Amino acid sequence: MEWNDVRIFLAVARSGSFGEAARVLGVSHPTVGRRIKVLEDEAKQPLFRRTKDGLVLTDAGDTVRALAESMEDSALSMERRLTGNDQRLEGILRISSADWFAGYVLAPVLLELTRRHPAVVPEVIASHRLLDLSRREADVAFRIVPFSEPDIVQRRLMRISYGVYASAGTKQALQDDPASAGVILMNTAQSHFPDVAWVLERFPLCRRAFRSTNRSVQAQMCLRGMGIAVLPRPLGDAVSGLQRIDTPDEPPTRDIWVGYHQDLRHMDRLRAMLDIADMMLSDSAAAQ
């Protein structure tokens, strides 16, 4: 079984279609079909069956998947170790973080990184999704929760303060008639975030006007008068036209954690970025 065929097989198994697997891998639809047929000919039995919901694995396919994932783990481990031993200060550094953190907190760090090391190319994957570092979906990640995956080197980098923000019109409406003002929240899946409960408790008369997983989108809707929003201070303070509302107590703070797979601990471009982040962002740096 060739590694390229293994990658195609796993992509089909995970996506449930030849077309989606082709898109993910950057190959043609017929190529995917041909390689799956080769695997099925070698196995002398079908590995997938068609259903109304897409392709699903047969019993033989389940057996092949276990072997394929073992091969994938070995290949990824080799890739991580080879990449982790790369001591050249050049190449792509893939960074995962929330959109607002990349744009309003991390940006000066990346600018300084490229100033010092022009051959390093930061690639920011701005998403609220927690990427899999063991599969090299990213080299390093910044999160508001500690990492739970195995083999991750992590530490708390800094603490982020939050504030309540509004447009001038919303701020006036809040003073005149709180029930006429809206409140902007995280989406339902993230309704457990501490700032959601906090703002609903502090502003019980405000109607729920808008939800989004994206803090930058929340800031823009807040600016346009959709309602008040709890935003990270680096974002809210930077958006011209937003006014911070004084409250008896501040919204809950959040810790920022940085982590990377242990196999990448010797990657020089990663270490260079982390050193700069510590110098510019860490709590100890802010206290100086």
Side-chain angles (χ1 to χ4, degrees):
M1 185 183 296
E2 295 183 5
W3 169 234
N4 283 337
D5 290 344
V6 170
R7 291 174 62 243
I8 289 173
F9 170 82
L10 288 173
V12 174
R14 289 164 179 164
S15 65
S17 77
F18 287 174
E20 180 61 17
R23 187 192 67 79
V24 169
L25 296 175
V27 300
S28 68
H29 189 291
T31 296
V32 173
R34 283 196 303 271
R35 301 319 303 171
I36 293 299
K37 186 178 186 307
V38 168
L39 288 176
E40 291 184 328
D41 288 345
E42 290 178 353
K44 296 182 172 55
Q45 55 190 315
L47 302 178
F48 294 94
R49 60 184 177 85
R50 295 187 179 278
T51 72
K52 62 181 179 61
D53 297 321
L55 296 172
V56 298
L57 290 169
T58 62
D59 289 345
D62 276 329
T63 300
V64 171
R65 179 172 186 163
L67 296 172
E69 288 182 335
S70 178
M71 288 182 65
E72 181 187 46
D73 288 342
S74 296
L76 289 170
S77 178
M78 181 182 298
E79 179 186 356
R80 287 195 307 268
R81 289 179 183 274
L82 289 173
T83 303
N85 288 327
D86 187 353
Q87 297 182 353
R88 298 170 300 170
L89 278 165
E90 62 182 45
I92 295 174
L93 180 64
R94 290 176 291 184
I95 304 162
S96 168
S97 80
D99 61 285
W100 65 266
F101 187 82
Y104 294 92
V105 180
L106 200 57
V109 172
L110 302 183
L111 183 64
E112 180 64 14
L113 173 66
T114 56
R115 187 191 68 79
R116 295 186 188 185
H117 311 291
V120 176
V121 181
E123 180 181 292
V124 174
I125 308 164
S127 170
H128 68 277
R129 187 170 73 88
L130 302 183
L131 300 186
D132 190 338
L133 298 181
S134 68
R135 296 188 181 278
R136 292 295 312 283
E137 291 183 342
D139 297 320
V140 60
F142 295 86
R143 298 179 181 174
I144 59 173
V145 293
F147 295 75
S148 58
E149 304 94 316
D151 303 323
I152 299 298
V153 179
Q154 63 175 306
R155 67 176 182 272
R156 193 182 74 84
L157 176 66
M158 62 188 301
R159 180 161 292 168
I160 294 286
S161 296
Y162 285 66
V164 183
Y165 294 86
S167 65
T170 300
K171 187 175 183 180
Q172 187 61 51
L174 193 63
Q175 295 172 350
D176 296 340
D177 180 12
S180 69
V183 60
I184 296 171
L185 303 169
M186 300 301 294
N187 72 332
T188 304
Q190 294 168 319
S191 60
H192 62 282
F193 279 19
D195 60 275
V196 175
W198 183 91
V199 74
L200 291 176
E201 181 178 328
R202 299 310 187 278
F203 299 90
L205 299 180
C206 293
R207 55 187 173 79
R208 304 183 187 195
F210 184 77
R211 293 179 181 270
S212 175
T213 61
N214 189 304
R215 295 286 191 181
S216 296
V217 171
Q218 291 181 11
Q220 288 302 312
M221 299 307 291
C222 181
L223 180 63
R224 285 160 173 76
M226 181 69 79
I228 62 172
V230 176
L231 300 171
R233 288 283 304 274
L235 167 60
D237 290 352
V239 176
S240 178
L242 285 184
Q243 300 182 15
R244 190 157 61 93
I245 299 174
D246 291 329
T247 54
D249 59 327
E250 297 295 322
T253 59
R254 300 300 298 266
D255 288 334
I256 299 294
W257 295 78
V258 58
Y260 54 91
H261 196 278
Q262 64 180 8
D263 289 344
L264 301 185
R265 63 188 180 277
H266 299 303
M267 181 194 283
D268 275 4
R269 58 186 179 274
L270 171 59
R271 295 173 66 89
M273 190 274 291
L274 293 175
D275 287 345
I276 296 171
D278 280 336
M279 178 187 71
M280 299 179 69
L281 302 180
S282 69
D283 289 338
S284 58
Q288 294 176 0

